[in-house]
Structure formats: C-alpha cells, structure tokens
Amino acid sequence: MTTAGTGYAEADRDEKGGIRTALAGLTTRGRSFLAAGVAAAVCSYVLGQSDLLRVGLLLAVLPLVCATVLYRTRYRVAGSRRLSPARVPAGSEARVHLRMDNVSRLPTGLLMLQDRVPYVLGPRPRFVLDRVEAGGRREVSYRVRSDLRGRYPLGPLQLRLTDPFGMCELTRSFSTYDNLTVIPRVEPLAPVRFSGEAKGYGDGRQRSLALAGEDDVIPRGYRYGDDLRRVHWRSTARYGELMVRREEQPQRARCTVLLDTRGIAFQGAGPDAAFEWAVAGAASVLVHMLERGFSVRLLTDTGSAVPGEGGDGFAGASQGSADAAGLMMDTLAVIDHSDGAGLSLAYDVLRGGNEGLLVAFLGDLDEEQAAVVARMRQRGGGAVAFVLDSETWMREPSEVPGPSDGSEERLRMLREAGWTTLRVPRGASLDDLWRQADRERRGVAVAGGGEGP
C-alpha cells in the first residue's frame, strides 16, 4: 500500500472579519428567526404591545447569540489525509482516508467534513461527524476513480461548524492538500526476444568486460565500503585523492522508447483516443523492459529524455528500477501534445550514440517525417515502430476503410530501412502486436540469413 502523507493542519477561527463573518454564516433558519424578531419588534411599536416586543427580542437575539458563540468557539481540530495508493492506473480506484483529531480540551459539536476533489474523480465527498470528545479522533474514507490520466489535487479539507439550534454555520478550511497521480494503463507483455538486434547487449543480462593489465585499469574515486586492496596508488598519487581500481565495467542492454506527441499527428481526445493508446503503449514497454533488466530511456519528439539523471540519459539498476519506473510513469501521466511539426529533434538525440533496441509509437507520418524516422534506424540495434493512423481511430470499426496508398508507401519506407513496422488498428491489443513484431522480426532474420533466436 502506497501512502501519501499530509502534514496536520489546524482549523481555528479567523480573527479578521469580526461580526460580519459570523452574520454571514447564518443559516436560513437563523435569518428567518432574525427577520421574524425584527418584524415582531416593529409591530409591537406600531400596536403598542410590550409583550410582542419581548417575543421579537427573543427571536432576534437567539440567532445573534448562536453566531457569536460559534464564532468565538476555539475548536482546534487537526486533519490529515492518506492516499492508498498515491499512484493509480487509469480506470482503477484509489481510497482516500481522512482523519480528524480534536486537539483542544473541549468537546466539539456536530461537524460536517467536506473534501474538495476535481469533478473527473467523482462527486465531492461529505461526512457528518458526531460530537468528538477532547483528545478524540474520527476516521472516514472515500473512493476516487478516473479514466483520464493526470495529476489531480485533493483538498483542502473544509470543516463546517454548526450550533445546536442550527442557526449558524461557519466553514473553516485547512491549508494542506495532496496530489493523486493517475498513470497510464500498463499492459503485461510477453517475454519475447528480438534476436540479433543488440549485438553486445544480449538478452538484457549484464555482461562484464574484464580489464587486464596495469595500463587497462580505469580508476575511480574511493567510496565507503570499497575493499582497500583495490586502491590504485599510482592514480592516488596523481590525483591527490584515494582512487580504487574498477576492474569490471558492467554494460546493460539499452532500450529507447520514442513517443510521438505532435498535436498534428493525432486526432481526437478522451480515454479511447489514439494518443492515449500510444501513451499507454509506451508505459507498458518501459515497464516491461525495466523488468527484463534493460537500461531504458523515454524520448519524445521534442528531444527531451526522461529520466536524464545519468550521463547518457538512461535509467537502470544503478538508479533503481522502481524509482526509474515511477519517474517515467509520473511524466507520462501529465504528458500532452507538443507544438512541434517534425521529429528532427528526436533524431538529433538518437544519432549521438548506440541506443540498443528502439521502440517507437508514432502518429500520422508524411513523406518527410517518414524519411526522418527511417534514418533513426541504427546498425547496432533493432527498431520496432507502432504507427497509429488517426483517421481509422476517428471512425467506427465497421466504417474503417483500407489503408491508403500513401500510408502504405511510408510504412514500406520504414521497413526498407530496417524497421519492424506495424500498423495499429483501433482498439488493438499491444501484447498481440508485440508478439506479431517478434514473429515478423524472426521471419526477416531467417529470410535474410540472420541468426535465429
């Protein structure tokens, strides 16, 4: 269970506003009593009835006294919120736990608790809490659910105080809030192997390069816990600090997931749109590759890579697979369309080095952008492209026409450049396409005389 802690906030009376704040909190009953009292006092003056004046004063004073007492009551109530979990896939539910503590020495009256939530998460939750004794606590919970990914604020909490007669009602807000992150749906993928794609990287397992000889030693700075027998004294004397031998240099299989976010490449909106399928597909591949031991990187058409903590922008075991996956899921939860018109910025990043396996989720491609994507294919690694045709996603399944000659020509251009290219129909399963890509890659390798799995 993932928990999002919230610092305690206290609800106390506001010193500003004076009696005006108290009078603004009068309920319909309180205003009716006040109006009736004033009317009775006026009638008693006109008719000369002193008894009616007493009744009018009683009716008018009662709501004023209730408002003053409620306003001056120093309820010290601390509230906290806990999310379980704080990061939830789209379409799944999260539970929000609220806890109220009476930290004053006086018992409270009837409390009405309300939490602010965005409309996409459901109706605004409201709770009625009975009298809370001094030092006591009350706990309530509610559920939220969203089919749309994003980061949604929860709070602040609002506490409504009422008097026993229902004459006045005051609202006091807490100052803290939390964020619920709705990440894309992650679809489990089959553990296929794109054989012959990443020479020198294998199937995602680490391999070590044993560096032999004194001249081949690559020293690094001493870290707490290093074996003192690995101290390299020549480098220590040269650099003026304690250096140790790094006799093994692990290399991990790399995978770059390219997500096309251009606004002109996708049409439609909502959880069933083509762009949302592409985002969910990128999330599924990233998680799958991390679980298989790959060093992964998320790249967009703008040229920005996530995460970028390492020198090469890849995230792997050195940063923690769970932390890397969480960082990329948080990024995909709020990613939106870009204003770019091309993929040249992403190409500039990819041509800088060996990217290993390249998996791309692309929208509509014209001839120029198809040529840019074709050049992204490198000799040292494999490339798989999932191309989403927005026109087919905008129509009903029964109305989907066959692919146009222009789109088929662009897909053929990618295949000739070495890409394993798949057209993504509306509502397709990524796992099925993932298996199909593996079969096609195997077929190409066998037909070309390449090495089998």
Side-chain angles (χ1 to χ4, degrees), residues 211-218 232-235 245:
L211 304 180
E214 188 71 15
D215 295 336
D216 294 333
V217 173
I218 302 178
H232 192 253
W233 298 108
R234 181 181 299 177
S235 299
R245 293 188 301 270

Side-chain angles (χ1 to χ4, degrees), residues 270-293:
D272 297 329
F275 181 68
E276 295 302 322
W277 193 97
V279 173
S284 302
V285 173
L286 288 169
V287 173
H288 176 72
M289 288 302 179
L290 277 173
E291 291 175 350
R292 294 190 63 195

Side-chain angles (χ1 to χ4, degrees), residues 230-356:
R230 295 176 55 193
V231 174
H232 192 253
W233 298 108
R234 181 181 299 177
S235 299
T236 300
R238 178 180 179 182
Y239 294 104
E241 60 177 331
L242 200 60
M243 307 291 289
V244 297
R245 293 188 301 270
R246 181 168 52 186
E247 297 181 348
E248 290 186 352
Q249 185 178 3
Q251 293 186 359
R252 298 174 61 85
R254 289 182 174 183
C255 176
T256 297
V257 177
L258 172 62
L259 177 60
D260 184 5
T261 64
R262 295 172 299 142
I264 62 175
F266 296 93
Q267 300 179 16
D272 297 329
F275 181 68
E276 295 302 322
W277 193 97
V279 173
S284 302
V285 173
L286 288 169
V287 173
H288 176 72
M289 288 302 179
L290 277 173
E291 291 175 350
R292 294 190 63 195
F294 278 70
S295 295
V296 301
R297 175 176 63 177
L298 172 63
L299 182 66
T300 66
D301 57 286
T302 61
S304 59
V306 180
E309 298 180 6
D312 53 6
F314 286 86
S318 60
Q319 300 171 350
S321 298
D323 295 338
L327 179 59
M328 286 183 284
M329 290 301 105
D330 290 343
T331 302
L332 290 175
V334 297
I335 199 168
D336 202 355
H337 292 294
S338 67
D339 297 330
L343 299 166
S344 58
L345 295 178
Y347 170 71
D348 293 338
V349 176
L350 291 173
R351 68 178 181 177
N354 191 347
E355 306 300 324

Side-chain angles (χ1 to χ4, degrees), residues 18-83:
I19 193 63
R20 182 178 302 174
T21 303
L23 293 178
L26 289 176
T27 62
T28 302
R29 179 184 299 178
R31 296 176 186 274
S32 300
F33 267 68
L34 182 60
V38 173
V42 173
C43 292
S44 68
Y45 176 78
V46 174
L47 301 177
Q49 297 291 331
S50 58
D51 294 337
L52 186 58
L53 178 60
R54 297 189 185 96
V55 174
L57 291 177
L58 176 62
L59 294 176
V61 169
L62 181 59
L64 297 178
V65 172
C66 291
T68 303
V69 172
L70 184 64
Y71 178 75
R72 289 185 171 274
T73 300
R74 287 182 175 267
Y75 287 152
R76 295 181 60 84
V77 183
S80 66
R81 182 189 299 102
R82 181 168 55 90
L83 307 183

